[in-house]
Amino acid sequence: MGKIFGWGVVWMLLLFAGGCSTGEERQLDEALKLAGDNRKELEKVLDYYAGDSLKLRAVRFLIRNMPGCYGFPESGLSGLASVYQAYDSVNRTFDYRICAEWGKEIDRLQERIPGISSGCWVADLSAVSSSYLISETERSFDAWERNVYASQISFDDFLEYVLPYRRLNGLVADGIRDTFYYRHMGKYYASAGHSWKEDTDSLLFEYRSLVHSQFFGTRIPLVDAVTFERLKRGLCIHRCWYNSLLLSALGMPVAIDFVPAWGNRNNSHTWNVLVMGDRSYAFEAFWDEDRWKYKRIYNNRTCDRLWGEFRLPKVYRYTYSNHPEGPVTDRDVDRADIPSLFRNMKKLDVSNEYFETQDVCIKLTEPAPEGARYAYLAVFGYQQWHPVQWGKIGNDGSVLFRNMGKDMVYLPVYYRQGVVVPAASPFRLEADGTVRILSDDGKRGKVGLRTLFGAPTHDRNLTYLHAFRGTSFVVMEDGNPQGKLCELTDSLGIGMNRFPVVSSASCRYVRMYLPADTLAAGEIVFYTADGRVPSVRVVSEGIPLSQSSEGIRNLTDGTEATCCRCRFPEGYVDFDLGESYRLTGVGFCPYLKSQIETGNHYELLYWDKGWKRHASREGTELGWLEFEGGTSSLSAHAEKYGMARSFCRTYIYCYGRRNQLGVTEVKEYVILKHSKR
């Protein structure tokens, strides 16, 4: 098996390509030199297309960007054959149903995987044959020319998103695109009677049996499309490269976009995108009735009624071409001091295609490691800070981070030998683009906690989030409704939802009309131009003042963690604001199922150049926890509405803020350590 080029050799190539006006020519020459004994194969391809200027441009593009491309050899599949056979057998035993027992059997197969070292990978420059490149080029041009949407695909987009045989590193470079081509050519993207979106949906519907593995068997390598079709199970990244091979084989300009780490939950994500003209169309890789949703739910503004709220710090796109930038191009930076995300040169920042971005300039306040030339912005997930953008440190100790997503928390960090080191205080980049430094302002209050996990919290509370659509608030005078203040016209997001008031009239009494005779809510809040109305009472007649943990008093007690669940037979609730106010908004926090369990131990930590212990509590039957004396800026990270997800249940982090009643609600940048007693 061949070897991947050493870092120093690739670095020399980058210097050559970046420092000359004839960069493409120099890139090609250097690639041919690096090919070694395989140079003759690549030159055969150049000679073959010497008389065809367009195809010659195409193969020159492939060869000059081949440095950095590597894959898994087909011969290596034989060592995995027994594992794949066993996987297939388990699938058949369970009739291809994904369940816990199926997952246990699949996970056990991971013990049989042979060791795969870096020496197993083969550099494309040293292995790709002339016949393979010619075959891939001919099929790509033929598919592009037959595609009825070819006029919407520029030649540059053809080179980047249709032509390349390699869609991601680590895959087998085989003839699967020929298989896809002959399997579907003439059926899809061949008639003007359908839209390309309809054809894409119909094509991917044929492959709906390829589903997500639910994270079972994640260490079982999938390196070719034939194996994926056989096993029918994989992760998002597997389905993304599969779709990319499939659609590009039919002449469609397809790519893979990814968020390296969420800004308000754990994990990362990959999906596919079609690049048509000057626009991109993102879609879910696995079959989904709502597959084209990503531009709608990844805009860093909305909370989707079904999927909840997503906040993305960055979106990158995998490319075949090399895009060297930042620390990877700096000869004075040790590769071990560069986060893995930024060692990859085959990517583009496409954040602006999804959401409005903001350049952020931060003054570093912590001493830099010796020789540090770059700093990074990191977001928090899985109990770690994950760098998502780089910036060069200026002479004055400031760093400019470009094109950042808003409405989330970042920590400026240094990176040294694989370790993230704080470089300044965490800050929140607000939705309006302002920067709010998170530090202890000396204020103290109570911290209330009810939910622990982010994305699952949304899923398990969908019933409550949707139930109050149509709820309205009206002004009451002498027991009669006088005018509408606002109406809840859509489902709610986890946490406080604020609705503007349409009436300018002053009022003391407000009635809330319910869609049913039951109310389940965490908090009802009324706002004026000066802030929250401080003393609000429920005055509806016939409602028992329950002493239970979910009684009526919880509805206006100043903390969302204490929830109310009561019946209101008349279908409405009346509130007394204490005196007359001109309201500007109404806040409604929905009921959330408690995730506090008896028998569990909870430890609250705060961020101060590292995690510091504040207090600990035992879970109770109340369904919520209260911590005394918390700072108003218990800093770190988490999910804007509730807690961010933690699969291992060791640390559970949340987001908190201090309201006008002096209660710090758990919604902003706290980490909670959670363990069984």
Side-chain angles (χ1 to χ4, degrees):
M1 296 185 183
K3 294 184 178 180
I4 302 174
F5 318 122
W7 172 251
V9 177
V10 175
W11 164 243
M12 289 171 60
L13 171 61
L14 295 177
L15 278 182
F16 248 148
C20 179
S21 59
T22 57
E24 290 186 3
E25 202 66 41
R26 299 296 292 270
Q27 285 180 358
L28 180 63
D29 290 342
E30 192 64 26
L32 292 173
K33 292 177 183 177
L34 291 170
D37 294 340
N38 200 50
R39 176 171 183 153
K40 292 181 179 179
E41 286 295 300
L42 302 181
E43 289 177 335
K44 286 180 184 178
V45 180
L46 297 173
D47 291 342
Y48 185 85
Y49 289 116
D52 189 325
S53 60
L54 206 58
K55 290 182 179 178
L56 181 61
R57 278 183 62 189
V59 294
R60 286 168 63 91
F61 170 85
L62 288 177
I63 295 172
R64 75 169 186 266
N65 286 290
M66 206 174 285
C69 290
Y70 61 90
F72 192 81
E74 284 191 272
S75 59
L77 292 173
S78 59
L80 296 167
S82 63
V83 177
Y84 294 153
Q85 183 176 356
Y87 197 123
D88 183 55
S89 178
V90 173
N91 277 345
R92 294 175 184 275
T93 298
F94 285 87
D95 195 26
Y96 293 93
R97 290 180 297 105
I98 295 180
C99 59
E101 289 303 313
W102 171 87
K104 290 179 182 177
E105 293 297 320
I106 295 300
D107 280 347
R108 290 192 188 102
L109 296 179
Q110 296 178 140
E111 301 172 3
R112 299 168 53 178
I113 298 172
I116 300 177
S117 66
S118 60
C120 294
W121 308 118
V122 176
D124 288 3
L125 273 178
S126 63
V128 170
S129 68
S130 58
S131 59
Y132 178 75
L133 276 189
I134 291 171
S135 174
E136 286 285 318
T137 302
E138 290 297 316
R139 194 251 315 112
S140 295
F141 270 88
D142 188 56
W144 181 38
E145 291 164 358
R146 288 173 179 264
N147 192 307
V148 294
Y149 308 107
S151 61
Q152 301 180 41
I153 307 169
S154 69
F155 189 65
D156 285 341
D157 285 344
F158 167 79
L159 293 179
E160 188 68 74
Y161 304 122
V162 178
L163 174 68
Y165 61 93
R166 180 164 298 290
R167 314 309 291 193
L168 276 182
N169 279 330
L171 304 180
V172 173
D174 55 19
I176 190 62
R177 291 206 301 168
D178 278 344
T179 300
F180 288 145
Y181 176 81
Y182 291 114
R183 189 185 287 176
H184 298 295
M185 181 52 66
K187 183 178 180 182
Y188 296 109
Y189 313 115
S191 170
H194 303 99
S195 71
W196 58 260
K197 187 175 287 188
E198 289 175 325
D199 274 354
T200 302
D201 283 341
S202 297
L203 172 60
L204 296 179
F205 184 75
E206 290 195 29
Y207 295 92
R208 63 192 180 279
S209 63
L210 305 180
V211 298
H212 198 281
S213 67
Q214 302 302 312
F215 300 102
F216 291 112
T218 56
R219 299 199 310 274
I220 297 175
L222 288 178
V223 293
D224 71 323
V226 171
T227 300
F228 187 31
E229 288 187 346
R230 179 185 180 189
L231 303 187
K232 299 184 181 299
R233 305 287 183 265
L235 299 174
C236 295
I237 189 64
H238 300 132
R239 187 60 197 264
C240 281
W241 57 250
Y242 181 91
N243 290 345
S244 188
L245 290 166
L246 172 64
L247 270 67
S248 67
L250 301 178
M252 293 300 289
V254 60
I256 301 171
D257 286 0
F258 68 100
V259 53
W262 297 110
N264 68 334
R265 57 183 67 199
N266 285 328
N267 222 330
S268 57
H269 187 44
T270 55
W271 60 92
N272 284 118
V273 59
L274 284 170
V275 181
M276 304 295 294
D278 59 354
R279 296 188 62 187
S280 61
Y281 300 85
F283 63 94
E284 165 59 41
F286 290 101
W287 175 253
D288 183 350
E289 295 290 345
D290 189 19
R291 67 171 45 257
W292 302 94
K293 58 183 173 288
Y294 285 140
K295 289 295 182 76
R296 183 183 80 244
I297 66 177
Y298 288 171
N299 58 24
N300 279 355
R301 297 192 311 273
T302 58
C303 178
D304 189 78
R305 69 186 307 267
L306 178 62
W307 300 100
E309 181 181 272
F310 294 88
R311 292 297 178 261
L312 296 79
K314 300 295 294 182
V315 176
Y316 294 101
R317 177 169 298 157
Y318 289 114
T319 60
Y320 177 83
S321 58
N322 286 308
H323 300 276
E325 62 174 2
V328 74
T329 66
D330 194 327
R331 69 177 73 191
D332 295 322
V333 177
D334 190 322
R335 187 168 185 250
D337 293 336
I338 304 173
S340 59
L341 174 65
F342 303 110
R343 299 175 203 161
N344 176 19
M345 297 171 291
K346 294 184 178 293
K347 71 179 189 309
L348 280 174
D349 183 351
V350 292
S351 302
N352 286 312
E353 295 184 19
Y354 289 86
F355 47 80
E356 185 180 82
T357 63
Q358 176 87 25
D359 291 350
V360 182
C361 188
I362 297 296
K363 181 76 171 182
L364 304 183
T365 57
E366 300 302 317
E370 184 178 355
R373 296 166 59 84
Y374 295 85
Y376 304 88
L377 276 190
V379 294
F380 193 75
Y382 285 129
Q383 298 78 59
Q384 299 179 50
W385 292 99
H386 303 276
V388 295
Q389 178 61 305
W390 62 271
K392 191 165 186 179
I393 302 173
N395 294 331
D396 62 350
S398 63
V399 183
L400 180 64
F401 299 101
R402 297 193 178 279
N403 300 324
M404 303 309 302
K406 303 176 185 178
D407 198 21
M408 68 197 79
V409 166
Y410 296 98
L411 177 70
V413 300
Y414 306 111
Y415 192 85
R416 180 55 57 96
Q417 300 295 308
V419 178
V420 168
V421 181
S425 296
F427 66 90
R428 178 172 176 78
L429 182 58
E430 301 286 5
D432 63 3
T434 59
V435 173
R436 178 165 61 90
I437 303 298
L438 300 178
S439 60
D440 187 357
D441 59 8
K443 298 178 181 179
R444 296 293 182 267
K446 295 179 181 179
V447 175
L449 175 69
R450 185 179 188 88
T451 61
L452 305 177
F453 310 110
T457 297
H458 176 85
D459 297 342
R460 63 180 282 166
N461 286 288
L462 279 176
T463 299
Y464 297 108
L465 300 180
H466 294 174
F468 294 96
R469 185 176 184 179
T471 296
S472 63
F473 292 83
V474 300
V475 174
M476 297 295 291
E477 187 174 320
D478 297 326
N480 298 309
Q482 298 298 311
K484 182 181 291 187
L485 291 170
C486 67
E487 182 175 348
L488 280 58
T489 57
D490 205 343
S491 64
L492 303 170
I494 292 174
M496 184 59 70
N497 298 260
R498 185 164 175 171
F499 300 89
V501 163
V502 297
S503 171
S504 61
S506 295
C507 63
R508 173 172 177 172
Y509 298 97
V510 175
R511 174 169 290 177
M512 176 175 65
Y513 285 104
L514 303 170
D517 64 355
T518 301
L519 173 63
E523 189 80 1
I524 305 293
V525 181
F526 299 94
Y527 299 97
T528 69
D530 297 324
R532 176 176 179 156
V533 176
S535 299
V536 179
R537 295 186 302 118
V538 176
V539 294
S540 294
E541 296 182 358
I543 304 303
L545 296 179
S546 172
Q547 300 300 314
S548 74
S549 62
E550 296 186 344
I552 192 66
R553 288 191 178 92
N554 295 340
L555 198 59
T556 57
D557 66 350
T559 178
E560 300 161 19
T562 58
C563 289
C564 165
R565 188 161 56 172
C566 296
R567 288 192 68 246
F568 290 82
E570 300 299 324
Y572 61 80
V573 186
D574 287 335
F575 298 90
D576 179 1
L577 307 186
E579 58 183 271
S580 221
Y581 290 95
R582 179 173 292 179
L583 299 177
T584 59
V586 175
F588 188 105
C589 178
Y591 180 92
L592 300 180
K593 295 180 180 179
S594 174
Q595 296 174 331
I596 304 301
E597 301 176 0
T598 59
N600 284 0
H601 179 78
Y602 301 86
E603 184 176 7
L604 189 68
L605 310 177
Y606 65 95
W607 180 268
D608 182 12
K609 304 177 185 178
W611 292 114
K612 307 295 175 63
R613 182 181 183 274
H614 171 69
S616 63
R617 293 286 184 273
E618 299 294 322
T620 71
E621 295 179 354
L622 292 176
W624 70 293
L625 292 177
E626 183 176 278
F627 292 88
E628 297 286 347
T631 72
S632 65
S633 183
L634 289 164
S635 53
H637 175 75
E639 181 149 6
K640 183 175 181 182
Y641 300 126
M643 304 290 292
R645 181 168 51 180
S646 173
F647 288 113
C648 65
R649 296 175 64 86
T650 301
Y651 291 87
I652 305 169
Y653 44 97
C654 57
Y655 175 101
R657 70 174 175 218
R658 190 172 189 271
N659 62 34
Q660 289 185 323
L661 300 185
V663 178
T664 301
E665 304 214 334
V666 176
K667 279 185 174 301
E668 185 174 282
Y669 320 121
V670 187
I671 186 166
L672 191 76
K673 186 176 181 181
H674 162 235
S675 59
K676 293 286 187 180
R677 183 169 57 186

